[in-house]
Amino acid sequence: MPAEILDMVEAINDALGRLEDALEAERAFTAEAAHALRTPLAVLSARVAQLRDLPGAQPLRDDVARLTRLVEQMLSAAQADTLVVDPAMQSDLAAIARSVVADMAPIAIAAGRQIAYEGPDACPVMGDADAIAHAMRNLADNGLRFTPAGTEVTLTVEGTGRLSVRDHGPGIPASHRDTVFKRFWRGAASDLGGTGLGLAIVKRIAEAHQAEVGISDAAGGGALVSLQFHRPPSALPPDRGLLPGLRREAAGQPA
Ligand SMILES: Nc1ncnc2c1ncn2[C@@H]1O[C@H](COP(=O)(O)OP(=O)(O)OP(=O)(O)O)[C@@H](O)[C@H]1O
Ligand SMILES: [Mg+2]
């Protein structure tokens, strides 16, 4: 190869290396900044809680809650960026979904919504249980925010290693199905208090698992967001997982 081309290739490689370092530094900065903000925010939150019914206290509490959510989501996004999934790791998708439903049931009930699990007793997939739970919580959180009062958010697991979260809200229009995964994108629903990072985190966690993310319309209306995971080579054929142990666990009452 001519020397000037070799020089150019070297220069490009150097530049890419510096870019990678800069990106890494940015990620580390985001993670450290978000982490450093957590403690003072927790202190602020406790102080604001003591203001009780003083005039102006509620908007202040709402602001602190929003800021806390933003910092938590920024930290999650930075953590998801560096997520590497050990190919030998296995998790039970059904157990994770049930525990997410149980964790989020009080939030759903307090908001007058329901949350339920439908699927087999167990469904082994390849992946990191903590990260998968994190992705599911973000999807369930979206569902609970958009589903109308008195309706249900359903987490369904299929024996093929597929998780779907459905709600009864307005759905996600086909024209937005790529954009919703962009960081800080919140669409018309920005007044619902999100930070626009949840689906970007879900997408990154899916990528680390080589899992496919899909958005479609649920039958009868609402959004249906799915993650298709890989099953371990040792797993039973998918239909065996679905038949005997199919169960439903629900929390919350219709309004
Ligand atoms: N189930 C859903 N139904 C309708 N629109 C949705 C749904 N889930 C996401 N969206 C749209 O996609 C946007 C991005 O969602 P994402 O979860 O990334 O951010 P967010 O929920 O606004 O904030 P957060 O970082 O707190 O999750 C939402 O603001 C909303 O406009
Ligand atoms: Mg969200």
Side-chain angles (χ1 to χ4, degrees):
M1 199 181 282
E4 61 270 32
I5 303 260
L6 268 181
D7 284 352
M8 220 157 70
V9 169
E10 221 164 85
I12 290 173
N13 278 337
D14 279 356
L16 285 176
R18 280 199 300 276
L19 191 65
E20 186 59 39
D21 290 349
L23 279 176
E24 187 45 52
E26 188 205 339
R27 248 179 249 144
F29 173 76
T30 311
E32 276 166 32
H35 196 261
L37 281 167
R38 277 172 121 191
T39 310
L41 262 176
V43 172
L44 187 62
S45 177
R47 293 213 172 126
V48 168
Q50 285 169 356
L51 294 178
R52 296 181 194 281
D53 296 331
L54 285 183
Q58 192 52 46
L60 201 57
R61 272 195 287 270
D62 293 346
D63 285 346
V64 173
R66 249 197 299 278
L67 204 54
T68 305
R69 168 86 185 171
L70 175 62
V71 165
E72 292 297 337
Q73 287 292 74
M74 278 172 64
L75 192 56
S76 288
Q79 281 164 349
D81 265 346
T82 56
L83 177 68
V84 178
V85 178
D86 178 348
M89 249 178 160
Q90 285 192 23
S91 304
D92 181 349
L93 198 59
I96 301 169
R98 284 199 304 272
S99 82
V100 167
V101 166
D103 286 351
M104 297 189 77
I107 303 169
I109 294 168
R113 273 82 175 159
Q114 298 141 66
I115 187 161
Y117 168 74
E118 279 181 6
D121 281 342
C123 177
V125 292
M126 287 157 73
D128 174 330
D130 288 341
I132 295 174
H134 200 67
M136 273 190 212
R137 270 195 296 274
N138 269 292
L139 295 179
D141 179 75
N142 283 348
L144 285 173
R145 211 135 43 83
F146 288 96
T147 211
T151 65
E152 179 181 287
V153 171
T154 318
L155 276 68
T156 304
V157 168
E158 290 165 60
T160 52
R162 188 180 192 81
L163 164 91
S164 309
V165 179
R166 83 150 292 174
D167 61 55
H168 295 267
I172 302 177
S175 55
H176 288 162
R177 286 179 192 166
D178 287 332
T179 337
V180 285
F181 293 107
K182 293 210 161 84
R183 286 186 170 176
F184 297 111
W185 193 89
R186 293 185 303 172
S190 46
D191 55 325
L192 286 174
T195 66
L197 285 171
L199 286 175
I201 294 169
V202 170
K203 188 175 177 203
R204 176 60 202 113
I205 292 173
E207 277 167 5
H209 285 84
Q210 282 146 28
E212 294 219 355
V213 194
I215 299 182
S216 58
D217 296 317
L224 183 77
V225 187
S226 303
L227 291 172
Q228 176 66 57
F229 290 95
H230 290 279
R231 285 164 52 82
S234 58
L236 291 170
D239 53 328
R240 290 278 306 279
L242 262 175
L243 293 174
L246 196 67
R247 66 153 99 181
R248 179 178 158 83
E249 285 174 16
Q253 294 298 319

